[in-house]
Amino acid sequence: CIMRSRYSFLFLLFISQFGWAQKYNPTKEFTINQGLSHNEITCLYQDMNGFLWIGTWSGLHKYDGYSITSYVLDNSVSNRLKSNKITALLETNDSTIWVGTMVGGLFRFNKKDESFVQYVHDPNDTQTISDNNIWNIIEDKDKNLWIATQNGLNKLIISENRFESWHNDDKDPLSLVYDFITNLHLDEDNILWVSTENGVCWTDLDNRREVKFNRIFYPDVMNPYLHNYVYAVKTCLSRNKKEVFWITKKGLKQLKSDGSVVNHEVPLDDPKYSFFRAMAQVDLYDPFLLLGSEDGLYVFDIDQLKFLQYAGSYDFAQNLSQNTIAGLLLDKSGVLWAGTKKGINKYDTYSNN
């Protein structure tokens, strides 16, 4: 198809042109000077209408290509946001925007009247969300939501408007690997991958009798915390074979077919180069991963298992506005958005600026 061919050409162009210290010119930067309430970006999402939703530590924003609309905490009205710390965004198939926050719980946003409905933990009700600190939201094929919190995995059964939750049990090796969940990923085989502060686990959602988790750790006695603090998991096809990767504080992990785990680190001495916070998957004939680190943006070639850096803040006039990348989005038109601690960098891949 035309779009896939165009993306294939563009990323081959990136790899051929951008070496370890190569520079490019971002088309545009978005900061508080352009209307954001805070420069530190926490998450990015594009909805069905093409609007860009931006989460920050001080409010939610919508960018329509021309102007920015802000949604911030308002305790004077019941149907407004009750937390400015935005950590997760999702649009479901019914066009509802779901917003995860720190402290404030989960919010359902109605686009028509721009109202918010809040879901919070009630210690006296086991059918409420288990924690008000949320890090990720996804939708399954049954139109239910799965929510990553700091205290367990939650499922919002939409038709019943109630939550189920799962937690770690030290006595049960098939329980959740750890309660602080950082990210969720649902692959094409309906396997739910759960990223936590202490390892990865997965469960088959086609097994409707019970939810049991299979745990995966990277075996390193010297730095177990750094290797097993997982920010995100992605699965993709490479040469007709399913590959599983996850990003950590110390490298990109790859799950091998025999169950072993291989670590890939940027071949530079400073550990910040291999501290990965964000990951975007590019599904092409030759698939790639875009990785946001503590020191810039990298392309990882899945077939060759090779890193290439093509953006950093070494020259402010020509590179990223800041090196720590917490959010990545390649939108439907081929624009790459990188969220940093100093705003968003927009790069038009189709024009190569």
Side-chain angles (χ1 to χ4, degrees):
C1 98
I2 294 175
M3 183 66 74
R4 286 172 63 93
S5 298
R6 186 179 74 182
Y7 278 1
S8 295
F9 169 76
L10 287 167
F11 278 89
L12 287 173
L13 182 64
F14 280 163
I15 287 175
S16 65
Q17 288 188 348
F18 297 108
W20 283 109
Q22 189 67 42
K23 305 179 177 69
Y24 75 89
N25 293 319
T27 304
K28 191 172 183 179
E29 293 179 6
F30 293 83
T31 66
I32 55 175
N33 296 325
Q34 284 73 42
L36 295 181
S37 58
H38 199 281
N39 277 338
E40 188 164 351
I41 309 303
T42 55
C43 51
L44 299 166
Y45 192 87
Q46 184 181 31
D47 69 16
M48 297 177 188
N49 297 320
F51 297 151
L52 178 69
W53 292 82
I54 304 162
T56 75
W57 287 124
S58 187
L60 173 66
H61 306 278
K62 180 180 70 175
Y63 177 59
D64 62 6
Y66 301 96
S67 61
I68 293 176
T69 302
S70 299
Y71 305 89
V72 295
L73 183 149
D74 185 352
N75 287 321
S76 66
V77 184
S78 62
N79 60 353
R80 295 291 184 264
L81 272 178
K82 302 306 174 185
S83 172
N84 275 338
K85 299 182 184 300
I86 311 301
T87 50
L89 294 165
L90 173 75
E91 182 180 29
T92 48
N93 286 325
D94 62 358
S95 296
T96 299
I97 298 290
W98 294 85
V99 183
T101 71
M102 291 290 288
V103 181
L106 178 69
F107 291 85
R108 186 181 74 235
F109 178 70
N110 186 318
K111 288 183 179 180
K112 293 182 179 179
D113 61 9
E114 297 201 327
S115 63
F116 290 87
V117 174
Q118 186 181 23
Y119 298 80
V120 293
H121 173 62
D122 181 348
N124 299 315
D125 187 351
T126 58
Q127 294 189 351
T128 61
I129 195 166
S130 66
D131 193 77
N132 292 331
N133 299 294
I134 295 168
W135 288 103
N136 197 225
I137 314 164
I138 64 171
E139 183 181 28
D140 67 21
K141 65 181 183 181
D142 295 322
K143 313 305 180 189
N144 297 314
L145 298 186
W146 292 82
I147 302 126
T149 80
Q150 287 186 191
N151 184 29
L153 173 65
N154 286 250
K155 177 182 178 181
L156 173 56
I157 303 173
I158 298 294
S159 61
E160 302 175 18
N161 198 36
R162 67 177 180 88
F163 291 85
E164 293 181 356
S165 61
W166 291 264
H167 298 269
N168 172 260
D169 181 351
D170 291 337
K171 298 178 181 178
D172 182 3
L174 295 178
S175 69
L176 194 69
V177 65
Y178 198 69
D179 280 341
F180 194 128
I181 303 172
T182 56
N183 202 269
L184 300 169
H185 172 66
L186 188 62
D187 71 20
E188 65 277 4
D189 298 319
N190 213 28
I191 301 297
L192 177 65
W193 295 86
V194 182
S195 304
T196 81
E197 282 194 340
N198 187 31
V200 173
C201 61
W202 61 269
T203 186
D204 187 349
L205 294 189
D206 285 334
N207 182 2
R208 296 180 181 271
R209 292 179 298 175
E210 57 183 350
V211 176
K212 295 294 185 182
F213 298 93
N214 299 273
R215 302 176 178 183
I216 306 173
F217 294 97
Y218 182 77
D220 187 293
V221 295
M222 299 298 294
N223 295 290
Y225 171 75
L226 297 179
H227 279 294
N228 290 295
Y229 192 114
V230 183
Y231 281 97
V233 176
K234 295 292 183 186
T235 57
C236 51
L237 287 176
S238 176
R239 298 174 181 173
N240 296 318
K241 184 178 69 172
K242 180 179 176 179
E243 296 282 2
V244 182
F245 293 92
W246 59 91
I247 52 174
T248 71
K249 289 187 174 184
K250 193 171 177 57
L252 172 70
K253 306 298 188 282
Q254 177 188 10
L255 180 64
K256 305 295 286 185
S257 58
D258 62 1
S260 62
V261 180
V262 176
N263 188 38
H264 302 280
E265 294 189 41
V266 177
L268 295 171
D269 292 335
D270 196 321
K272 66 184 179 182
Y273 296 113
S274 295
F275 185 145
F276 299 115
R277 291 180 178 271
M279 175 165 55
Q281 181 178 333
V282 185
D283 291 317
L284 307 172
Y285 299 111
D286 298 310
F288 295 89
L289 294 175
L290 295 174
L291 304 175
S293 79
E294 288 286 290
D295 199 69
L297 182 64
Y298 296 82
V299 169
F300 183 78
D301 187 319
I302 293 173
D303 288 338
Q304 298 184 41
L305 302 179
K306 182 179 180 181
F307 285 103
L308 288 169
Q309 182 191 24
Y310 65 89
S313 65
Y314 307 104
D315 183 337
F316 183 82
Q318 297 188 16
N319 287 283
L320 292 173
S321 56
Q322 203 270 342
N323 272 346
T324 300
I325 300 174
L328 286 171
L329 172 68
L330 185 64
D331 73 19
K332 299 166 188 175
S333 64
V335 172
L336 176 62
W337 304 82
T340 76
K341 290 184 177 180
K342 292 184 178 180
I344 303 173
N345 288 217
K346 173 188 174 185
Y347 181 57
D348 294 326
T349 62
Y350 53 82
S351 67
N352 203 28
N353 197 26

